[in-house]
Protein backbone atom coordinates (compact mmCIF):
# COMPACT_ATOMS: atom_id res chain seq x y z
CA UNK A 1 0.00 0.00 0.00
CA UNK A 2 1.44 3.36 -1.02
CA UNK A 3 1.59 6.20 1.52
CA UNK A 4 -0.73 9.02 0.58
CA UNK A 5 1.17 12.27 0.82
CA UNK A 6 -0.20 15.77 0.30
CA UNK A 7 1.47 19.10 -0.32
CA UNK A 8 0.55 22.49 1.13
CA UNK A 9 2.06 25.14 -1.12
CA UNK A 10 2.71 24.53 -4.81
CA UNK A 11 5.61 26.92 -5.48
CA UNK A 12 9.26 26.33 -6.28
CA UNK A 13 10.24 23.91 -3.54
CA UNK A 14 6.94 22.03 -3.73
CA UNK A 15 7.70 21.30 -7.39
CA UNK A 16 10.96 19.64 -6.36
CA UNK A 17 9.27 17.47 -3.74
CA UNK A 18 6.34 16.62 -6.02
CA UNK A 19 8.73 15.40 -8.72
CA UNK A 20 10.76 13.29 -6.30
CA UNK A 21 7.80 11.84 -4.40
CA UNK A 22 6.04 10.86 -7.61
CA UNK A 23 9.17 8.89 -8.59
CA UNK A 24 9.00 6.86 -5.35
CA UNK A 25 6.85 3.74 -5.84
CA UNK A 26 6.05 3.69 -2.11
CA UNK A 27 4.24 7.04 -2.39
CA UNK A 28 0.86 8.08 -3.74
CA UNK A 29 1.06 11.86 -4.27
CA UNK A 30 -2.53 12.54 -3.37
CA UNK A 31 -3.72 16.14 -2.82
CA UNK A 32 -2.12 19.56 -3.30
CA UNK A 33 -3.37 22.85 -1.88
CA UNK A 34 -2.14 26.37 -2.61
CA UNK A 35 -3.78 29.71 -1.83
CA UNK A 36 -3.40 30.27 -5.55
CA UNK A 37 -5.62 27.50 -6.85
CA UNK A 38 -4.17 27.58 -10.38
CA UNK A 39 -0.74 26.65 -9.01
CA UNK A 40 -2.13 23.64 -7.13
CA UNK A 41 -4.05 22.57 -10.22
CA UNK A 42 -1.03 22.83 -12.52
CA UNK A 43 1.23 20.86 -10.17
CA UNK A 44 -1.45 18.24 -9.46
CA UNK A 45 -2.07 17.78 -13.18
CA UNK A 46 1.64 17.25 -13.84
CA UNK A 47 1.89 14.46 -11.27
CA UNK A 48 -1.50 12.75 -11.42
CA UNK A 49 -2.60 14.22 -8.08
CA UNK A 50 -5.72 16.20 -7.18
CA UNK A 51 -5.94 19.89 -6.37
CA UNK A 52 -7.54 20.43 -2.96
CA UNK A 53 -9.69 23.40 -1.99
CA UNK A 54 -8.41 23.72 1.60
CA UNK A 55 -5.70 22.66 4.05
CA UNK A 56 -8.38 20.60 5.83
CA UNK A 57 -9.08 18.65 2.66
CA UNK A 58 -5.38 17.74 2.32
CA UNK A 59 -5.20 16.70 5.97
CA UNK A 60 -8.38 14.64 5.61
CA UNK A 61 -7.09 12.71 2.59
CA UNK A 62 -3.41 12.15 3.39
CA UNK A 63 -1.35 10.28 5.98
CA UNK A 64 1.54 12.70 5.65
CA UNK A 65 1.91 16.25 4.47
CA UNK A 66 4.69 18.46 3.12
CA UNK A 67 4.57 22.12 4.20
CA UNK A 68 6.05 24.16 1.35
CA UNK A 69 4.63 27.61 2.05
CA UNK A 70 6.51 30.84 2.97
CA UNK A 71 8.58 30.94 6.19
CA UNK A 72 6.10 32.83 8.36
CA UNK A 73 3.29 30.32 7.72
CA UNK A 74 5.16 27.14 8.74
CA UNK A 75 4.30 27.03 12.44
CA UNK A 76 0.57 27.58 12.10
CA UNK A 77 0.22 24.99 9.35
CA UNK A 78 2.53 22.52 11.09
CA UNK A 79 0.58 22.84 14.36
CA UNK A 80 -2.64 22.18 12.46
CA UNK A 81 -1.18 19.09 10.76
CA UNK A 82 0.33 17.73 13.97
CA UNK A 83 -2.96 18.28 15.84
CA UNK A 84 -4.67 16.25 13.09
CA UNK A 85 -2.21 13.39 13.82
CA UNK A 86 -0.39 13.71 10.49
CA UNK A 87 3.24 12.95 9.83
CA UNK A 88 4.88 16.15 8.62
CA UNK A 89 7.76 17.20 6.42
CA UNK A 90 8.22 20.93 7.01
CA UNK A 91 10.44 23.10 4.87
CA UNK A 92 13.04 25.23 6.60
CA UNK A 93 12.97 27.30 8.71
CA UNK A 94 11.28 25.24 11.43
CA UNK A 95 9.80 28.42 12.92
CA UNK A 96 10.39 32.14 13.26
CA UNK A 97 11.42 33.14 16.78
CA UNK A 98 11.99 31.01 19.84
CA UNK A 99 8.48 31.06 21.39
CA UNK A 100 6.93 29.66 18.20
CA UNK A 101 9.76 27.12 17.81
CA UNK A 102 9.25 25.94 21.37
CA UNK A 103 5.49 25.63 20.92
CA UNK A 104 5.90 23.54 17.77
CA UNK A 105 8.61 21.31 19.25
CA UNK A 106 6.39 20.59 22.27
CA UNK A 107 3.38 19.85 20.08
CA UNK A 108 5.44 17.35 18.03
CA UNK A 109 6.77 15.68 21.18
CA UNK A 110 3.27 15.33 22.62
CA UNK A 111 1.71 14.07 19.39
CA UNK A 112 4.41 11.45 18.83
CA UNK A 113 3.96 11.76 15.06
CA UNK A 114 6.89 11.93 12.63
CA UNK A 115 8.26 15.37 11.85
CA UNK A 116 11.16 16.03 9.50
CA UNK A 117 12.65 19.46 8.73
CA UNK A 118 13.86 20.31 5.22
CA UNK A 119 17.56 20.76 5.92
CA UNK A 120 18.45 19.08 2.63
CA UNK A 121 22.09 20.15 2.67
CA UNK A 122 22.94 17.42 5.18
CA UNK A 123 22.38 14.95 2.35
CA UNK A 124 24.36 16.76 -0.36
CA UNK A 125 27.24 14.45 -1.35
CA UNK A 126 29.91 17.11 -0.58
CA UNK A 127 28.64 17.45 2.96
CA UNK A 128 28.30 13.67 3.33
CA UNK A 129 32.02 13.37 2.45
CA UNK A 130 32.93 15.89 5.14
CA UNK A 131 30.62 14.34 7.74
CA UNK A 132 32.00 10.84 7.09
CA UNK A 133 35.60 12.04 7.38
CA UNK A 134 34.78 13.53 10.81
CA UNK A 135 32.70 10.56 12.02
CA UNK A 136 35.30 8.02 10.91
CA UNK A 137 38.12 9.93 12.62
CA UNK A 138 40.04 10.83 9.44
CA UNK A 139 39.54 14.50 10.21
CA UNK A 140 39.54 15.97 13.71
CA UNK A 141 38.45 19.60 13.22
CA UNK A 142 40.66 22.17 14.97
CA UNK A 143 39.78 25.26 12.98
CA UNK A 144 36.66 25.99 10.94
CA UNK A 145 35.39 28.76 8.73
CA UNK A 146 31.94 28.75 7.13
CA UNK A 147 30.60 31.24 4.61
CA UNK A 148 27.14 31.74 3.15
CA UNK A 149 26.69 34.85 1.02
CA UNK A 150 23.81 36.00 -1.12
CA UNK A 151 24.24 37.97 -4.31
CA UNK A 152 21.52 40.48 -3.53
CA UNK A 153 18.38 40.92 -1.48
CA UNK A 154 16.31 42.02 -4.51
CA UNK A 155 14.97 38.77 -5.90
CA UNK A 156 12.31 37.57 -5.05
CA UNK A 157 11.12 41.13 -4.33
CA UNK A 158 10.15 40.43 -0.68
CA UNK A 159 13.44 38.72 0.28
CA UNK A 160 14.81 41.82 2.06
CA UNK A 161 11.69 42.14 4.23
CA UNK A 162 12.17 40.56 7.65
CA UNK A 163 8.41 40.69 8.29
CA UNK A 164 8.07 38.09 5.53
CA UNK A 165 11.31 36.12 5.87
CA UNK A 166 11.78 36.30 9.65
CA UNK A 167 15.13 38.03 9.01
CA UNK A 168 18.18 37.50 6.81
CA UNK A 169 19.53 34.61 8.91
CA UNK A 170 16.22 32.77 8.50
CA UNK A 171 16.67 32.61 4.74
CA UNK A 172 19.53 30.51 3.31
CA UNK A 173 21.97 31.00 6.27
CA UNK A 174 19.65 28.82 8.39
CA UNK A 175 21.10 25.86 6.48
CA UNK A 176 24.61 26.75 7.71
CA UNK A 177 23.51 26.79 11.34
CA UNK A 178 22.06 23.32 10.89
CA UNK A 179 25.23 22.11 9.15
CA UNK A 180 27.48 23.55 11.87
CA UNK A 181 25.61 21.44 14.44
CA UNK A 182 25.51 18.43 12.11
CA UNK A 183 29.30 18.45 11.68
CA UNK A 184 30.59 19.79 14.99
CA UNK A 185 27.90 19.18 17.62
CA UNK A 186 26.08 21.56 19.92
CA UNK A 187 27.04 25.21 20.20
CA UNK A 188 27.65 26.66 23.66
CA UNK A 189 27.93 30.37 22.84
CA UNK A 190 28.05 32.89 20.00
CA UNK A 191 29.61 36.34 19.71
CA UNK A 192 28.39 38.41 16.78
CA UNK A 193 29.13 41.70 15.04
CA UNK A 194 26.53 42.74 12.44
CA UNK A 195 25.56 45.65 10.24
CA UNK A 196 22.45 46.64 8.29
CA UNK A 197 23.93 47.58 4.91
CA UNK A 198 20.68 47.99 2.95
CA UNK A 199 16.92 47.91 3.55
CA UNK A 200 17.38 48.64 7.28
CA UNK A 201 17.82 44.95 8.06
CA UNK A 202 20.90 43.22 9.57
CA UNK A 203 22.44 41.59 6.50
CA UNK A 204 26.17 41.44 7.21
CA UNK A 205 27.31 39.14 10.03
CA UNK A 206 30.64 38.00 11.48
CA UNK A 207 29.96 35.20 13.92
CA UNK A 208 32.27 33.43 16.36
CA UNK A 209 30.86 30.15 17.68
CA UNK A 210 32.09 28.13 20.67
CA UNK A 211 31.04 24.46 20.67
CA UNK A 212 30.52 22.28 23.74
CA UNK A 213 33.43 20.15 22.44
CA UNK A 214 35.76 23.14 22.91
CA UNK A 215 36.09 23.75 19.16
CA UNK A 216 35.57 27.31 17.98
CA UNK A 217 34.52 28.32 14.47
CA UNK A 218 33.85 31.45 12.46
CA UNK A 219 31.01 32.07 10.07
CA UNK A 220 30.40 35.08 7.86
CA UNK A 221 27.26 35.81 5.92
CA UNK A 222 26.59 38.88 3.80
CA UNK A 223 23.57 39.70 1.65
CA UNK A 224 24.95 41.72 -1.27
CA UNK A 225 28.12 40.02 -2.54
CA UNK A 226 26.98 39.48 -6.18
CA UNK A 227 26.70 35.80 -7.05
CA UNK A 228 30.46 35.41 -7.11
CA UNK A 229 31.24 31.71 -6.60
CA UNK A 230 31.64 30.19 -4.14
CA UNK A 231 29.05 31.96 -2.06
CA UNK A 232 28.69 28.84 0.09
CA UNK A 233 31.80 27.26 1.54
CA UNK A 234 33.24 25.33 4.50
CA UNK A 235 36.94 25.28 5.28
CA UNK A 236 37.82 22.72 7.95
CA UNK A 237 41.37 22.28 9.16
CA UNK A 238 42.74 19.42 11.26
CA UNK A 239 46.30 18.50 12.18
CA UNK A 240 48.05 18.65 8.79
CA UNK A 241 44.69 18.16 7.13
CA UNK A 242 42.34 20.40 5.16
CA UNK A 243 38.83 19.89 3.77
CA UNK A 244 37.31 22.59 1.58
CA UNK A 245 33.87 22.61 -0.01
CA UNK A 246 32.92 24.70 -3.02
CA UNK A 247 29.17 25.23 -3.20
CA UNK A 248 27.59 21.75 -3.23
CA UNK A 249 29.57 20.93 -6.37
CA UNK A 250 33.01 20.03 -5.12
CA UNK A 251 35.02 18.99 -2.09
CA UNK A 252 38.83 18.93 -1.89
CA UNK A 253 40.91 17.38 0.86
CA UNK A 254 44.55 16.88 1.76
CA UNK A 255 45.93 14.62 4.49
CA UNK A 256 49.58 14.93 5.51
CA UNK A 257 52.35 17.37 4.63
CA UNK A 258 53.59 15.81 1.44
CA UNK A 259 50.51 14.25 -0.05
CA UNK A 260 48.42 15.10 -3.04
CA UNK A 261 45.06 16.82 -2.84
CA UNK A 262 41.97 14.81 -3.78
CA UNK A 263 39.06 16.62 -5.40
CA UNK A 264 35.62 15.08 -5.81
CA UNK A 265 33.17 16.87 -8.08
CA UNK A 266 29.44 16.23 -8.03
CA UNK A 267 28.11 18.83 -10.43
CA UNK A 268 27.47 16.17 -13.04
CA UNK A 269 24.64 14.93 -10.80
CA UNK A 270 21.16 16.37 -11.08
CA UNK A 271 20.40 19.26 -8.72
CA UNK A 272 18.01 17.03 -6.79
CA UNK A 273 20.89 14.66 -6.01
CA UNK A 274 23.65 17.26 -5.67
CA UNK A 275 21.64 19.36 -3.20
CA UNK A 276 20.37 16.39 -1.17
CA UNK A 277 16.67 16.73 -2.02
CA UNK A 278 16.26 13.19 -3.34
CA UNK A 279 17.91 11.66 -0.29
CA UNK A 280 15.91 13.71 2.26
CA UNK A 281 12.65 12.67 0.59
CA UNK A 282 13.73 9.02 0.39
CA UNK A 283 14.62 9.08 4.09
CA UNK A 284 11.27 10.64 5.02
CA UNK A 285 9.46 7.79 3.29
CA UNK A 286 11.82 5.30 4.98
CA UNK A 287 10.77 6.85 8.31
CA UNK A 288 7.09 6.50 7.33
CA UNK A 289 7.80 2.82 6.71
CA UNK A 290 9.34 2.55 10.17
CA UNK A 291 12.78 1.73 8.79
CA UNK A 292 14.53 4.59 10.63
CA UNK A 293 13.98 7.67 12.73
CA UNK A 294 13.40 10.92 10.83
CA UNK A 295 16.63 12.24 9.37
CA UNK A 296 16.27 15.83 10.65
CA UNK A 297 14.08 16.03 13.75
CA UNK A 298 11.92 18.78 15.21
CA UNK A 299 14.64 19.20 17.81
CA UNK A 300 17.21 19.75 15.04
CA UNK A 301 14.88 22.34 13.51
CA UNK A 302 14.48 24.02 16.90
CA UNK A 303 18.24 24.13 17.51
CA UNK A 304 18.88 25.97 14.25
CA UNK A 305 16.31 28.60 15.30
CA UNK A 306 17.86 28.82 18.76
CA UNK A 307 21.26 29.55 17.16
CA UNK A 308 19.79 32.22 14.90
CA UNK A 309 18.07 33.91 17.83
CA UNK A 310 21.31 33.74 19.85
CA UNK A 311 23.08 35.48 16.95
CA UNK A 312 20.49 38.28 16.72
CA UNK A 313 20.62 38.69 20.49
CA UNK A 314 24.43 38.95 20.48
CA UNK A 315 24.40 41.32 17.48
CA UNK A 316 22.00 43.67 19.27
CA UNK A 317 23.59 43.52 22.72
CA UNK A 318 27.24 43.26 21.67
CA UNK A 319 27.56 40.49 24.28
CA UNK A 320 28.63 36.88 24.03
CA UNK A 321 25.39 34.89 24.29
CA UNK A 322 25.27 31.46 25.93
CA UNK A 323 22.74 29.52 23.90
CA UNK A 324 21.35 27.54 26.86
CA UNK A 325 20.44 30.74 28.71
CA UNK A 326 18.25 32.13 25.93
CA UNK A 327 14.72 32.60 27.21
CA UNK A 328 11.85 32.06 24.82
CA UNK A 329 9.81 34.81 26.45
CA UNK A 330 12.55 37.44 26.09
CA UNK A 331 13.69 36.62 22.56
CA UNK A 332 11.05 37.37 19.97
CA UNK A 333 11.15 37.54 16.22
CA UNK A 334 11.60 41.32 16.13
CA UNK A 335 14.83 42.57 14.65
N1 LIG B 1 15.32 23.54 1.43
C1 LIG B 1 15.55 24.32 0.39
O1 LIG B 1 16.56 24.24 -0.28
C2 LIG B 1 14.50 25.33 0.01
C3 LIG B 1 14.51 25.89 -1.27
C4 LIG B 1 13.52 26.82 -1.59
C5 LIG B 1 12.56 27.17 -0.65
N2 LIG B 1 12.61 26.61 0.59
C6 LIG B 1 11.59 26.97 1.60
O2 LIG B 1 10.33 26.50 1.13
C7 LIG B 1 9.32 27.45 1.44
C8 LIG B 1 8.60 27.84 0.14
O3 LIG B 1 9.53 28.48 -0.71
P1 LIG B 1 9.28 28.57 -2.28
O4 LIG B 1 10.55 29.07 -2.86
O5 LIG B 1 8.68 27.31 -2.78
O6 LIG B 1 8.20 29.76 -2.32
P2 LIG B 1 7.15 30.06 -3.46
O7 LIG B 1 6.75 31.48 -3.24
O8 LIG B 1 7.67 29.64 -4.79
O9 LIG B 1 5.91 29.08 -3.11
C9 LIG B 1 5.15 29.23 -1.95
C10 LIG B 1 3.70 28.87 -2.30
O10 LIG B 1 2.94 28.84 -1.09
C11 LIG B 1 1.65 29.41 -1.38
N3 LIG B 1 1.06 29.83 -0.10
C12 LIG B 1 1.37 30.92 0.65
N4 LIG B 1 0.70 30.88 1.81
C13 LIG B 1 -0.06 29.75 1.78
C14 LIG B 1 -0.96 29.16 2.69
N5 LIG B 1 -1.24 29.72 3.88
N6 LIG B 1 -1.57 28.00 2.33
C15 LIG B 1 -1.30 27.41 1.13
N7 LIG B 1 -0.46 27.94 0.23
C16 LIG B 1 0.17 29.08 0.55
C17 LIG B 1 1.93 30.54 -2.36
O11 LIG B 1 0.79 30.88 -3.12
C18 LIG B 1 3.03 29.92 -3.22
O12 LIG B 1 2.53 29.25 -4.36
C19 LIG B 1 10.00 28.63 2.14
O13 LIG B 1 9.84 28.49 3.52
C20 LIG B 1 11.46 28.48 1.77
O14 LIG B 1 12.34 28.94 2.78
C21 LIG B 1 13.53 25.69 0.92
Amino acid sequence: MAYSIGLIGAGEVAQIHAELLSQDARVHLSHIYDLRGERAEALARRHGAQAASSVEEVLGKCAAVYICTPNTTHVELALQAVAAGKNVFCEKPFAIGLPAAQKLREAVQQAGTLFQVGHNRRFAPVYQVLKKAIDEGRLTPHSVHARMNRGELLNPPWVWNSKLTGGFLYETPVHMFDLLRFFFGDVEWVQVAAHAREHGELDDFSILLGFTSGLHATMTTYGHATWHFPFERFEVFGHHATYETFEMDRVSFTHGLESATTTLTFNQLSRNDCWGYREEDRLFVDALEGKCAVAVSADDGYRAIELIEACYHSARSGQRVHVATLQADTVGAQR
Side-chain angles (χ1 to χ4, degrees), residues 75-316:
V75 169
E76 192 183 335
L77 290 168
L79 285 170
Q80 191 180 348
V82 168
K86 301 300 160 185
N87 297 312
V88 175
F89 180 106
C90 181
E91 262 306 336
K92 61 79 187 165
F94 178 68
I96 307 292
L98 218 46
Q102 229 165 42
K103 190 173 172 188
L104 181 53
R105 183 175 65 166
E106 276 167 24
V108 173
Q109 282 164 351
Q110 276 167 20
T113 49
L114 301 180
F115 196 101
Q116 183 168 321
V117 184
H119 285 300
N120 54 297
R121 276 167 169 73
R122 288 187 180 209
F123 312 105
V126 288
Y127 292 136
Q128 286 286 314
V129 169
L130 178 54
K131 172 75 170 153
K132 232 171 147 214
I134 295 169
D135 287 353
E136 292 175 357
R138 280 175 283 118
L139 172 67
T140 302
H142 288 169
S143 171
V144 173
H145 180 60
R147 176 166 86 218
M148 168 70 82
N149 285 344
R150 270 192 61 103
E152 32 65 26
L153 291 180
L154 300 172
N155 235 333
W158 44 262
V159 73
W160 59 271
N161 185 347
S162 63
K163 288 196 173 63
L164 298 178
T165 63
F168 176 64
L169 295 181
Y170 278 95
E171 268 298 302
T172 323
V174 69
H175 285 297
M176 295 307 255
F177 292 104
D178 178 64
L179 285 175
L180 284 161
R181 278 193 64 248
F182 180 57
F183 296 136
F184 312 117
D186 280 333
V187 176
E188 193 178 333
W189 54 263
V190 295
Q191 172 83 54
V192 179
H195 281 105
R197 301 289 181 193
E198 286 186 44
H199 313 296
E201 174 185 12
L202 293 178
D203 51 13
D204 174 10
F205 290 77
S206 298
I207 304 169
L208 182 61
L209 305 104
F211 291 80
T212 51
S213 66
L215 176 74
H216 55 248
T218 57
M219 172 172 153
T220 56
T221 181
Y222 172 60
H224 318 279
T226 84
W227 295 107
H228 180 102
F229 283 3
F231 43 84
E232 172 174 341
R233 168 164 230 161
F234 272 89
E235 295 172 337
V236 185
F237 308 103
H239 186 65
H240 298 163
T242 292
Y243 276 66
E244 258 184 319
T245 64
F246 187 100
E247 303 298 317
M248 285 177 275
D249 294 341
R250 195 164 84 211
V251 55
S252 290
F253 49 90
T254 311
H255 287 277
L257 289 176
E258 292 179 20
S259 52
T261 295
T262 303
T263 299
L264 302 173
T265 58
F266 295 96
N267 53 5
Q268 69 277 29
L269 301 181
S270 73
R271 194 176 82 140
N272 287 345
D273 290 293
C274 205
W275 290 34
Y277 294 121
R278 187 185 307 281
E279 185 64 359
E280 70 171 352
D281 283 351
R282 189 185 68 74
L283 288 169
F284 182 62
V285 182
D286 278 359
L288 292 178
E289 283 192 314
K291 285 186 180 161
C292 57
V294 289
V296 186
S297 68
D299 190 57
D300 291 322
Y302 175 88
R303 300 251 168 236
I305 304 312
E306 188 180 50
L307 269 180
I308 286 178
E309 286 300 327
C311 287
Y312 278 118
H313 195 52
S314 176
R316 283 194 301 264

Side-chain angles (χ1 to χ4, degrees), residues 11-13 34-35 39 68-71 74 91-92 118 120 277:
E12 190 186 319
V13 85
D34 194 294
L35 279 181
R39 285 196 174 178
C68 301
T69 51
N71 296 1
H74 290 179
E91 262 306 336
K92 61 79 187 165
N120 54 297
Y277 294 121

